[in-house]
Amino acid sequence: MFENILLAVDGSDHSMKAAKLAGDLARLSGGKLRVLTAYEEVPSYLGEPNLSQVIAKRTEKAEEILDEAFEQIGDVPGGCEQEILSGDPAGSILRVVDTFNIDLIVMGTRGQGDIKSLLLGSQSHKVVSAAPCPVMLVR
Ligand code: ATP
Ligand code: MG
């Protein structure tokens, strides 16, 4: 049913629950799973060598988040791809959706943010508002 599923992870508990469910859905549907994490953009005014060092640190952290997600996902016969992008997470998610013909987005209801009183985080809110395909929010 879903041929190209996108999972977005930020290391939060909700996103790791989303990872487990996305793995199950990809196995059930026989589709491909693409896993995305975005790190905060590093301002270019930092200059070298600081810029490269900060990017390397953030990339390393992003790789740890992806590793944790892949543990939750398990084997996906249809195949898994990963993306590490910098900048606005919701914007990155929506760009990947367009580029890869994503037909389902799976993400957490909330993420790493502090304000737990709101039902949705700002990124999940933006994605649900603008996505051209179904969005599954996991808690
Ligand atoms: P806020 O960021 O608005 O303070 P929050 O952190 O609780 O609130 P969101 O950031 O909207 O909530 O997180 C909801 C979901 O969005 C996460 O569970 C994750 O699936 C996805 N997400 C958030 N940030 C990223 C990111 N940097 N990269 C990939 N996915 C992300
Ligand atoms: Mg957040």
Side-chain angles (χ1 to χ4, degrees):
M1 183 183 182
F2 298 114
E3 287 177 16
N4 290 298
I5 301 173
L6 176 64
L7 165 69
V9 285
D10 65 349
S12 63
D13 290 351
H14 281 188
S15 76
M16 290 304 147
K17 284 188 186 161
K20 192 168 183 333
L21 197 68
D24 290 343
L25 284 168
R27 279 185 287 279
L28 271 175
S29 69
K32 181 180 270 185
L33 180 61
R34 193 166 283 274
V35 187
L36 161 70
T37 191
Y39 63 80
E40 202 185 326
E41 195 161 4
V42 187
S44 55
Y45 62 71
L46 282 184
E48 291 300 353
N50 300 357
L51 190 61
S52 302
Q53 283 167 0
V54 179
I55 290 174
K57 256 220 153 71
R58 290 191 186 173
T59 305
E60 200 179 306
K61 174 73 190 153
E63 280 164 353
E64 283 170 22
I65 291 172
L66 289 177
D67 285 349
E68 201 186 330
F70 281 117
E71 273 177 34
Q72 297 298 320
I73 290 165
D75 282 339
V76 175
C80 275
E81 300 285 344
Q82 66 180 56
E83 308 268 348
I84 297 177
L85 297 176
S86 82
D88 163 47
S92 303
I93 291 167
L94 293 167
R95 271 200 311 280
V96 168
V97 165
D98 279 348
T99 307
F100 295 101
N101 281 324
I102 297 297
D103 47 21
L104 175 70
I105 303 167
V106 184
M107 61 193 296
T109 306
R110 300 299 320 247
Q112 296 282 26
D114 293 331
I115 311 164
K116 296 297 172 206
S117 56
L118 296 173
L119 176 62
L120 292 184
S122 58
Q123 306 309 310
S124 45
H125 182 263
K126 278 188 207 166
V127 171
V128 165
S129 308
C133 64
V135 183
M136 184 176 284
L137 295 179
V138 182
R139 54 193 289 174

